[in-house]
């Protein structure tokens, strides 16, 4: 059993890949922010687990600069 808080701070797709590798297959995501132009990364800010699934609460952040 892994500590689910270990995925906080990871990009959403990296977190999902990590969880699937560790046997969690029913994973949902909630984007808890409005889209802002220039934000390019969806980062896991929180994790909830119930009997059936894991929910990743994500927010958008600007970690890499987009070329315009």
């Amino acid at each position: 059993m892994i500590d689910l808080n270990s995925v906080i701070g990871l990009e959403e797709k990296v977190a999902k890949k990590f969880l699937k590798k560790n046997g969690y297959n029913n994973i949902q995501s909630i984007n808890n922010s409005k889209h802002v132009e220039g934000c390019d990364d969806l980062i896991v800010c929180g994790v909830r687990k119930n009997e059936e699934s894991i929910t990743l609460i994500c927010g958008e952040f600007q970690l890499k600069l987009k070329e315009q």
Side-chain angles (χ1 to χ4, degrees), residues 8-66:
I8 293 174
L10 297 177
E11 288 186 55
E12 177 196 30
K13 51 189 158 183
V14 173
K16 283 184 174 183
K17 188 175 183 179
F18 174 76
L19 290 170
K20 286 181 181 181
K21 183 179 175 183
N22 285 284
Y24 296 98
N25 294 314
N26 191 2
I27 304 166
Q28 302 172 356
S29 293
I30 296 173
N31 186 351
N32 201 22
S33 62
K34 292 183 180 180
H35 177 68
V36 176
E37 194 63 36
C39 291
D40 54 1
D41 289 299
L42 202 54
I43 304 297
V44 177
C45 300
V47 182
R48 280 188 265 170
K49 181 181 181 207
N50 62 28
E51 295 175 7
E52 300 170 4
S53 67
I54 291 179
T55 303
L56 302 176
I57 297 101
C58 302
E60 289 188 354
F61 294 90
Q62 183 176 358
L63 299 179
K64 302 176 201 114
L65 294 175
K66 284 186 176 179

